[in-house]
Amino acid sequence: MALNTAKTDLLITEAIHKKPVLRTRFTSQAYFVLAMVMDLLDQGVLVQDGGQLTIADEAKFDALPAFLANFQKQFRDTLTKTEPLAKQLQFLTSWDIANDLYDGIGPELLQQKVVEKVTFQNNLEPHIIYVPTDGSRNGAINDLKQTMQLDVPHVTMHLVAILEQQDALKWLIPDAEERNQLLAQFHAIVDRDPYFEVIQELTATASEVFIQKKFWLDSWLS
């Protein structure tokens, strides 16, 4: 199972704020899990149908990597009741799923020598962090820019939808003129693509879930 969107999201997101955001920042973690869900949609494991995400291929779903066992359980739990997509997507905010995903794909990226393994101390508890190398981060950004211009692959659709929702493209493409030109080219290609429409709906709904959960967390912690 190639979770290419999630892997690329790690390479570009872990560097945006120069700190291990995928271990410490709720919103970044949630979008990281969303990236994985998009990979499963793209590969025919899941499907968005009738206002809900459902399992498209039971065999593929059951064969997901072991580190996604918690996701499998939580996602199956959402299928036991018919709820709007916004209710169903609550699982995206699971710290456990985010950390399982991180710990699952991090070693794969380490083996590919595109990240470095470091220890980060947070609240007196050490965590393993997979820090992208400068070369891999820059390579991922350059690949994203190139694929925004012609025959846009689904992984690029996923990433741009997430980055636009987060208003994070400015961190990857700081030159406003270049960024606006790339976005214009990108949207001219994808805006009538039915698959991109599904991705945009999923991203927008997920964003609402994240905002509501963040407000709840802030009020609970205050």
Side-chain angles (χ1 to χ4, degrees):
M1 179 61 63
L3 301 174
N4 292 326
T5 307
K7 289 178 181 178
T8 306
D9 186 56
L10 190 153
L11 293 179
I12 60 179
T13 301
E14 198 69 292
I16 286 178
H17 297 291
K18 306 302 181 185
K19 62 182 180 180
V21 294
L22 293 180
R23 286 294 200 197
T24 61
R25 185 168 173 145
F26 159 76
T27 305
S28 296
Q29 286 182 319
Y31 277 111
F32 182 50
V33 177
L34 176 62
M36 178 268 292
V37 169
M38 290 178 176
D39 282 326
L40 300 186
L41 277 170
D42 187 33
Q43 296 181 43
V45 180
L46 303 179
V47 64
Q48 188 167 324
D49 182 36
Q52 264 204 325
L53 283 177
T54 60
I55 298 171
D57 189 315
E58 288 281 352
K60 286 183 178 180
F61 187 84
D62 290 341
L64 289 175
F67 60 81
L68 292 180
N70 196 16
F71 158 72
Q72 288 169 302
K73 180 182 183 305
Q74 290 197 40
F75 186 77
R76 280 199 182 279
D77 287 345
T78 73
L79 301 179
T80 62
K81 46 194 171 181
T82 303
E83 292 185 321
L85 185 61
K87 285 282 188 183
Q88 185 189 25
L89 292 181
Q90 294 294 326
F91 73 87
L92 293 175
T93 65
S94 167
W95 281 291
D96 290 336
I97 293 176
N99 284 322
D100 289 347
L101 178 62
Y102 192 91
D103 290 330
I105 68 176
E108 295 180 28
L109 296 173
L110 184 66
Q111 190 173 21
Q112 296 169 19
K113 300 182 178 179
V114 294
V115 298
E116 296 173 347
K117 186 177 179 180
V118 301
T119 301
F120 172 73
Q121 197 83 11
N122 183 37
N123 295 331
L124 303 180
E125 185 177 350
H127 296 280
I128 297 300
I129 306 299
Y130 296 97
V131 181
T133 64
D134 288 342
S136 65
R137 182 173 60 250
N138 291 334
I141 294 170
N142 287 333
D143 286 346
L144 180 68
K145 289 161 65 172
Q146 290 175 9
T147 55
M148 287 174 68
Q149 302 176 66
L150 182 67
D151 295 329
V152 180
H154 285 178
V155 169
T156 299
M157 292 186 193
H158 301 161
L159 290 168
V160 175
I162 288 172
L163 290 166
E164 279 197 296
Q165 192 69 53
Q166 291 180 291
D167 192 27
L169 270 169
K170 61 189 176 186
W171 299 107
L172 304 181
I173 311 171
D175 184 283
E177 183 176 353
E178 180 187 18
R179 185 171 66 251
N180 291 336
Q181 182 178 357
L182 286 171
L183 281 172
Q185 292 174 295
F186 171 82
H187 282 289
I189 297 168
V190 305
D191 277 355
R192 295 184 180 179
D193 188 316
Y195 180 79
F196 186 64
E197 291 178 4
V198 170
I199 291 302
Q200 280 193 308
E201 179 188 358
L202 180 63
T203 307
T205 305
S207 177
E208 294 174 5
V209 172
F210 303 161
I211 291 170
Q212 291 175 3
K213 183 67 174 285
K214 191 172 187 302
F215 281 151
W216 179 85
L217 287 171
D218 289 344
S219 64
W220 182 76
L221 292 171
S222 62

